[in-house]
Amino acid sequence: FIAIAGSLRDAGLNAPEIIASNLEEGFLLLTDFGSRDYLSQLNSQSEATLYADALAALLQMQLHADKTDLPDYGEAMLLRELDLFHDWFLLELLGIELDAAQQSVWLEARQILVDSALNQPQVFVHRDYHSRNLMVVEQNNPGILDFQDAVSGPITYDLVSLLRDCYIAWPPARVQQLVLGYYETACAHEMVNADAAQFMSWFNLMGIQRHLKVAGIFSRLKIRDGKARYMDDIPLTLDYLLQACREEKSMAGLCTMLEQLDLPTRVNALLGD
């Protein structure tokens, strides 16, 4: 946390300043960003300005934050995260065991998602860049939190976290507009050597990977950690997952399988309980 805060601040981003530390006792004195997170402040009037700030900060982070010593968001980590969906969401939460045909579809989709992530330009990845970890501040907005798990990984990961945020939804056309706007800016900075269709596909496939992972994490938080409130965020996560699967031809098999399992109905039944 301390090292990455320093990297972000060195890049001109508004991460907390470490004012004082006592590592032996486990205390830090940090900048106070207040209590106005993006989630509480976002509405139809504020979203344009707040997302413009967040996207500008993301670009600055990808261009200038030092990723030299960060772990690689490599195949092993990507697969481990995807398995959270299978192990915690399907098996533990819903009691679904995939048959041989479904398991084959799952393994094929997993590999496509991993390959797509690894084929993208690799940048500094915050890994949880969304409305609950961005604070609305008066100077150098946003204040950025919860970056201690940062990695070196795919350029679209934080973009998906921000624009297909598991805690708030915007019209798909608006999301696409923001994604393509970011793509054009990234191209202008020579960060991307791909056409817009390829970038949008990367974004969709990265979103599928993230939302599969998040469904698993939310399930684990409920079952293992007793934090049932995250169950309420699973329906939107599944909406994003199915939306992106329907847009990507390479995910047709996974899309069919997920639709046949009727996951939203099963989750809503649990929420009803």
Side-chain angles (χ1 to χ4, degrees):
F1 179 90
I2 294 171
I4 296 170
S7 294
L8 294 175
R9 290 180 64 81
D10 287 346
L13 294 155
N14 198 0
E17 179 185 356
I18 313 297
I19 299 167
S21 64
N22 181 339
L23 299 186
E24 292 75 21
E25 299 293 334
F27 291 105
L28 296 176
L29 181 63
L30 307 177
T31 312
D32 183 358
F33 285 154
S35 58
R36 296 190 303 151
D37 65 12
Y38 260 52
L39 184 59
S40 68
Q41 302 300 305
L42 278 165
N43 55 52
S44 57
Q45 286 73 47
S46 67
E47 67 94 355
T49 299
L50 291 181
Y51 279 123
D53 287 350
L55 290 166
L58 178 58
L59 181 72
Q60 191 168 340
M61 185 163 61
Q62 293 183 344
L63 282 171
H64 300 300
D66 185 8
K67 65 182 181 71
T68 306
D69 295 325
L70 297 181
D72 285 332
Y73 208 170
E75 181 168 9
M77 185 182 291
L78 289 160
L79 289 173
R80 193 161 60 244
E81 290 184 346
L82 285 164
D83 285 342
L84 294 170
F85 177 80
H86 178 276
D87 298 346
W88 285 96
F89 180 72
L90 292 181
L91 272 175
E92 294 291 335
L93 185 70
L94 300 181
I96 296 173
E97 292 193 39
L98 300 181
D99 62 28
Q102 291 169 330
Q103 187 70 13
S104 177
V105 168
W106 168 245
L107 293 176
E108 180 183 359
R110 260 191 357 157
Q111 196 58 53
I112 292 170
L113 295 172
V114 168
D115 291 345
S116 174
L118 297 179
N119 286 335
Q120 297 179 38
Q122 304 294 292
V123 297
F124 183 107
V125 176
H126 176 293
R127 207 153 154 235
D128 229 3
Y129 195 78
H130 59 66
S131 61
R132 288 184 173 173
N133 291 332
L134 299 176
M135 306 301 292
V136 179
V137 294
E138 295 301 321
Q139 301 292 327
N140 197 13
N141 188 63
I144 302 171
L145 302 175
D146 202 22
F147 41 73
Q148 62 275 357
D149 295 323
V151 292
S152 174
I155 192 171
T156 62
Y157 190 90
D158 285 337
L159 195 62
V160 164
S161 303
L162 180 68
L163 299 180
R164 286 188 181 153
D165 185 334
C166 295
Y167 308 112
I168 189 169
W170 302 99
R174 174 60 174 154
V175 172
Q176 183 173 15
Q177 179 187 37
L178 290 169
V179 173
L180 293 177
Y182 194 83
Y183 162 75
E184 290 173 2
T185 305
C187 287
H189 285 87
E190 298 183 346
M191 299 164 64
V192 176
N193 183 20
D195 62 25
Q198 177 67 77
F199 191 83
M200 201 70 217
S201 181
W202 282 342
F203 179 83
N204 282 328
L205 292 171
M206 198 75 257
I208 293 168
Q209 189 273 346
R210 175 168 169 80
H211 293 116
L212 287 166
K213 174 185 82 167
V214 168
I217 289 174
F218 287 164
S219 302
R220 186 175 67 184
L221 284 166
K222 176 187 187 298
I223 297 164
R224 188 190 70 184
D225 303 332
K227 297 179 179 180
R229 68 184 183 275
Y230 288 96
M231 284 291 295
D232 293 336
D233 300 311
I234 290 180
L236 177 56
T237 303
L238 293 179
D239 284 349
Y240 283 137
L241 172 60
L242 291 168
Q243 174 193 335
C245 281
R246 290 169 184 142
E247 291 182 19
E248 291 299 315
K249 291 181 180 178
S250 64
M251 290 289 108
L254 181 64
C255 186
T256 299
M257 185 185 86
L258 295 177
E259 288 176 339
Q260 288 173 346
L261 292 173
D262 197 11
L263 301 178
T265 299
R266 292 172 186 252
V267 170
N268 288 334
L270 288 177
L271 291 173
D273 294 341

